[in-house]
Amino acid sequence: MSGITPIVMPKWGLSMQEGRVVEWLVEEGARIEVGMAILEVETDKIANAVEAADAGTLRRRVAAEGEVLPVKALLGVMAGSDVSDAEIDAYVAGYVTPVADEAGEEAAPATRFIEVDGLRIRYARRGTAEGTPVLLIHGYGGDLDNWLFNIDAIGERLPVIAFDLPGHGQSSVAVPGNDVAALAAFTGRLMEALEVGTAHLVGHSLGGAIACELALSQPGRVASLGLIASAGFGDEIDEGYTRGFATAQSKRDLKAVMEMLFADPAAVTRQMLDDVLKYKRLDGVGELLGRLCDGLFAGGRQQAQPGLRLAGCGKPVLAVWGREDRIVPAAHAERVPRPATVAVLDGAGHMVQMEKANEVNRLILKHVAG
Amino acid sequence: MARKISMKQAINEALDQEMARDPSVICMGEDIVGGAGGEGERDAWGGVLGVTKGLYAKHGDRLMDTPLSESAYIGAAIGAAACGMRPVAELMFIDFMGVCFDQIFNQAAKFKYMFGGKAETPVVIRAMVGAGFRAAAQHSQMLTPLFTHIPGIKVVCPSTPYDTKGLLIQAIRDNDPVIFCEHKNLYGFEGEVPEASYAIPFGEANVVRDGRDATVVAYGLMVHRALEAAASLAKEGIEIEIVDLRTLSPIDMDTVLDSVTKTGRLVCVDEANPRCSIAADVSAQVAMRAFGALKAGIEMVTPPHVPVPFSPPLEDLYIPSAAQVAAAVRKTLKGGRH
């Protein structure tokens, strides 16, 4: 039955085991183009659209709206008109959801730790074995889960490494310094420790500034730059966010701050807030974020703008912004030195790699394919 | 954060980490070191259910075995707190508080107020609460409302290992007297807990489940009964929102009011006796402050107003069940105005 293409429950991020089908966006019998949103799926962290990887005709909606299904469960079937309904019935009846390899996950945990300069750093390796790796660098206050919609999509082409910056996520509650240069130098040493010679750097927000700085100070480590809602292209930044994130104590205060990150505030789920609060409550994190905020954004201004010095660096540059970014203004996209591929996406805020994951993934994959 | 530990281990870890961090933290209680001090047995016991097991080996004489005289050592702990220590006294069963009421209600709770804010009493009194342990009327009570009634005392009753560790660390660092209520039937309950130290602020309720149809307010073991009820109600298409109060004094009414404003219906679940209970308090405050949002009468699910029975079948009937919670939710949905 070579003409049948299954649509399966995606795996978004390291911890996703099941998702709920919110709504079908396409009728049975409809023609589907690559990249078209087929249905909406919700996890305990966020909701997003499942997009078509292949073109075809939607022949069968297998999953019902509201149904909770494991990763890789069959959601629907695409096939050409030469495939009979009976063949599709047989395919659906015969489909076996690959068991979430719990034993396998025990053997190879989703994340590992490595010690660099006395700091314990959490990282995840995904993707293919061959090729120039893509290093994902999250932003201020973030962690490697900020890439939950991106890591596996990029991993289909290249090896991917995501990590928690020092003082972030589950890495040690300490930083090598409170400026972009210190964080960039540390990232270089992390690459060395992970035995990564050269990588495509993809950085979000502060992570973008770190990537720019590393491209300037250690160009040999950098194959290309993918800059997502990047810092480092001007001094504007929303201090209400940077300071508010450091100081928010309660879920209520944090919710108001986190909602600034998205074009659609409904993206901020209870689970997302719980995860961030669990990090923020760890001894020393509040003070550390306060010091980072003082160092990186003194007076509510970005102190380092390495992006403006990229002209002539010779690295391919991709810059992506969400048009409704309230943290680092999308207008900074105009300041990215050319030549560069620049995209400003509608309907997205600062977390554009989550809100417009499929578009951002396509842009990154095209960019790293050179 | 894949590591899972039990609530009992979470308490042990919080005590261990705070004792390591702050030399003024000491522990006192009956049998918390072990046995009667005989060689080789000292470490074996660690409290009546082994919660403090192993701490003596790490922290030595900062764990003190006390005589079987609650009034004496609770008073001593309060005195030590007033003099700059941070004692954690284990009272075994909260039912034994009766003989220490003057020390707690009249002394610890009042120092800050009666000495113009100049005296702090950073004492934590840990005690087991709740029924279902086949331990009869004198070892099974949920006395949270008694302490919540007294200004100057903070009252905590966690439902998960994560909350237990963070709230106990906060209790130890807090400068006011804290009654820390541990449900004995949750001691074995496991959940993910970070290895590092963290504190959860008091006065912040936790919405443990989102829902649109009714708000269920609970704490301690009752949170789990509410979650069971939610699973069965969901099959009928009813989605309840569950608010875990976590701390009863201070209490986070804002979160409760926000939720009731959204759902329009309230069910309060409390393992304490119904009169003057946490359920009664929350119900009254919601009726007073969010009456306009209510689409139906408030329901309370509590035990009957009798002592905890010793007969096992009767004890099981005494504790509010998931089925009772679900029935109360259905009642608010049927009896409402729309």
Side-chain angles (χ1 to χ4, degrees):
Chain A
M1 282 180 279
S2 57
I4 292 182
T5 308
I7 301 164
V8 301
M9 180 65 75
K11 181 166 170 65
W12 287 329
L14 306 171
S15 58
M16 178 170 168
Q17 290 176 342
E18 59 182 28
R20 192 172 75 87
V21 176
V22 180
E23 188 183 9
W24 279 93
L25 304 171
V26 178
E27 297 297 326
E28 281 182 3
R31 174 80 198 154
I32 289 177
E33 305 299 337
V34 174
M36 205 165 141
I38 306 175
L39 74 167
E40 182 131 333
V41 164
E42 182 182 74
T43 74
D44 54 5
K45 291 190 195 293
I46 201 162
N48 206 346
V50 175
E51 291 191 354
D54 304 281
T57 302
L58 180 67
R59 294 287 296 276
R60 189 71 52 83
R61 294 174 173 186
V62 178
E65 293 181 355
E67 210 173 344
V68 176
L69 295 164
V71 166
K72 291 186 182 162
L74 187 66
L75 303 179
V77 174
M78 292 201 305
S81 53
D82 54 322
V83 178
S84 71
D85 281 347
E87 282 175 289
I88 290 175
D89 288 341
Y91 182 85
V92 172
Y95 184 89
V96 179
T97 303
V99 183
D101 45 346
E102 275 184 31
E105 280 180 22
E106 290 282 320
T111 61
R112 295 167 183 278
F113 289 87
I114 188 169
E115 199 168 301
V116 180
D117 294 354
L119 300 180
R120 196 164 172 258
I121 299 298
R122 180 175 73 140
Y123 71 99
R125 274 185 196 269
R126 314 285 279 184
T128 61
E130 297 299 318
T132 303
V134 176
L135 183 69
L136 303 173
I137 313 172
H138 66 78
Y140 162 79
D143 65 26
L144 55 79
D145 275 334
N146 292 164
W147 305 106
L148 84 164
F149 296 131
N150 319 103
I151 187 164
D152 287 315
I154 301 170
E156 284 180 15
R157 289 277 181 83
L158 290 173
V160 186
I161 302 166
F163 69 106
D164 293 341
L165 282 167
H168 288 74
Q170 291 178 34
S171 291
S172 294
V173 184
V175 283
N178 293 309
D179 54 35
V180 170
L183 293 168
F186 182 89
T187 303
R189 287 193 293 280
L190 172 72
M191 288 174 73
E192 198 178 323
L194 291 171
E195 296 178 354
V196 174
T198 303
H200 298 285
L201 304 188
V202 174
H204 173 245
S205 194
L206 169 67
I210 291 170
C212 293
E213 179 63 36
L214 200 55
L216 294 165
S217 58
Q218 301 183 49
R221 291 211 173 277
V222 182
S224 76
L225 291 171
L227 306 169
I228 317 293
S230 183
F233 290 94
D235 66 359
E236 295 103 317
I237 188 150
D238 191 300
E239 194 182 17
Y241 175 76
T242 54
R243 185 64 60 189
F245 185 84
T247 55
Q249 296 278 333
S250 67
K251 200 182 278 190
R252 182 180 296 261
D253 291 347
L254 186 67
K255 185 166 189 275
V257 173
M258 297 274 291
E259 283 176 351
M260 298 171 71
L261 290 169
F262 296 88
D264 175 10
V268 178
T269 60
R270 183 170 54 73
Q271 185 66 43
M272 190 188 291
L273 290 169
D274 282 345
D275 288 349
V276 173
L277 268 181
K278 278 182 181 171
Y279 156 67
K280 274 180 55 68
R281 284 184 191 130
L282 294 173
D283 279 3
V285 166
E287 296 82 357
L288 178 141
L289 287 173
R291 288 195 303 275
L292 258 185
C293 199
D294 291 342
L296 295 166
F297 318 119
R301 299 271 151 197
Q302 294 188 44
Q303 296 300 298
Q305 284 116 45
L308 299 176
R309 294 185 274 123
L310 284 179
C313 77
K315 308 291 181 194
V317 174
L318 165 72
V320 183
W321 252 274
R323 195 172 300 283
E324 294 170 50
D325 194 324
R326 287 197 270 166
I327 314 300
V328 179
H332 284 197
E334 290 159 25
R335 305 191 192 163
V336 178
R338 280 16 179 206
T341 307
V342 179
V344 179
L345 306 181
D346 290 327
H350 192 58
M351 303 304 281
V352 58
Q353 82 278 30
M354 295 177 94
E355 281 186 292
K356 291 288 164 197
N358 297 303
E359 278 181 78
V360 171
N361 291 339
R362 269 196 298 281
L363 286 163
I364 291 173
L365 285 171
K366 199 172 160 207
H367 167 69
V368 296
Chain B
M1 209 178 69
R3 184 190 68 144
K4 281 192 175 181
I5 60 173
S6 68
M7 186 183 270
K8 199 152 82 171
Q9 289 169 305
I11 297 165
N12 186 288
E13 192 167 280
L15 291 170
D16 185 22
Q17 290 180 352
E18 284 304 284
M19 290 187 88
R21 188 188 67 86
D22 181 349
S24 70
V25 178
I26 56 172
C27 291
M28 308 166 73
E30 293 160 9
D31 277 340
I32 64 165
V33 167
E39 286 303 318
E41 293 292 320
R42 299 199 74 174
D43 217 19
W45 203 228
V48 66
L49 292 181
V51 174
T52 51
K53 194 174 176 120
L55 293 181
Y56 181 80
K58 293 184 189 172
H59 305 287
D61 288 339
R62 285 165 62 199
L63 273 84
M64 273 169 275
D65 257 348
T66 62
L68 210 159
S69 173
E70 290 83 3
S71 53
Y73 77 83
I74 293 298
I78 289 166
C83 295
M85 304 303 283
R86 290 190 179 270
V88 181
E90 180 181 308
L91 192 85
M92 213 177 279
F93 295 99
I94 203 164
D95 314 69
F96 306 159
M97 287 279 191
V99 293
C100 328
F101 274 7
D102 185 68
Q103 290 84 332
I104 297 168
F105 291 173
N106 263 341
Q107 310 303 328
K110 304 291 191 288
F111 288 163
K112 183 180 264 183
Y113 294 86
M114 292 181 70
F115 300 128
K118 291 177 186 164
E120 306 275 19
T121 315
V123 65
V124 181
I125 302 174
R126 295 178 37 236
M128 281 187 273
V129 294
F133 205 62
R134 310 295 184 236
Q138 295 162 323
H139 305 80
S140 304
Q141 296 172 86
M142 178 58 76
L143 295 180
T144 40
L146 282 185
F147 300 95
T148 304
H149 183 71
I150 307 292
I153 300 175
K154 291 175 178 169
V155 185
V156 182
C157 190
S159 68
T160 65
Y162 174 81
D163 284 352
T164 299
K165 180 175 170 182
L167 290 167
L168 183 52
I169 288 176
Q170 175 60 37
I172 293 169
R173 297 177 187 178
D174 202 280
N175 284 337
D176 290 318
V178 178
I179 308 293
F180 197 87
C181 303
E182 301 163 7
H183 203 293
K184 45 178 106 58
N185 283 335
L186 286 175
Y187 269 167
F189 181 74
E190 293 195 344
E192 288 189 353
V193 178
E195 288 167 44
S197 292
Y198 59 95
I200 298 176
F202 288 170
E204 190 181 352
N206 191 25
V207 178
V208 296
R209 186 185 195 280
D210 300 312
R212 58 176 187 271
D213 297 322
T215 299
V216 175
V217 175
Y219 64 93
L221 179 70
M222 293 299 105
V223 173
H224 301 278
R225 296 284 156 93
L227 283 165
E228 276 175 59
S232 66
L233 288 166
K235 289 179 193 145
E236 302 164 26
I238 300 168
E239 297 293 338
I240 58 172
E241 186 149 297
I242 301 175
V243 179
D244 177 358
L245 292 171
R246 296 202 288 206
T247 66
L248 309 171
S249 188
I251 190 167
D252 177 9
M253 281 307 299
D254 287 345
T255 296
V256 175
L257 292 166
D258 278 356
S259 179
V260 173
T261 304
K262 183 172 89 174
T263 64
R265 294 176 171 86
L266 175 66
V267 174
C268 293
V269 190
D270 196 347
E271 200 185 321
N273 295 114
R275 300 290 317 283
C276 303
S277 61
I278 305 300
D281 180 29
V282 170
S283 300
Q285 292 199 57
V286 168
M288 198 166 63
R289 296 165 67 183
F291 187 75
L294 288 170
K295 297 174 188 161
I298 296 167
E299 288 295 318
M300 290 202 279
V301 182
T302 68
H305 201 62
V306 293
V308 180
F310 180 52
S311 149
L314 287 180
E315 186 180 20
D316 291 342
L317 280 173
Y318 174 93
I319 308 166
S321 66
Q324 283 173 288
V325 176
V329 169
R330 285 187 207 104
K331 196 172 165 195
T332 67
L333 284 158
K334 272 186 199 139
R337 53 189 172 90
H338 296 277

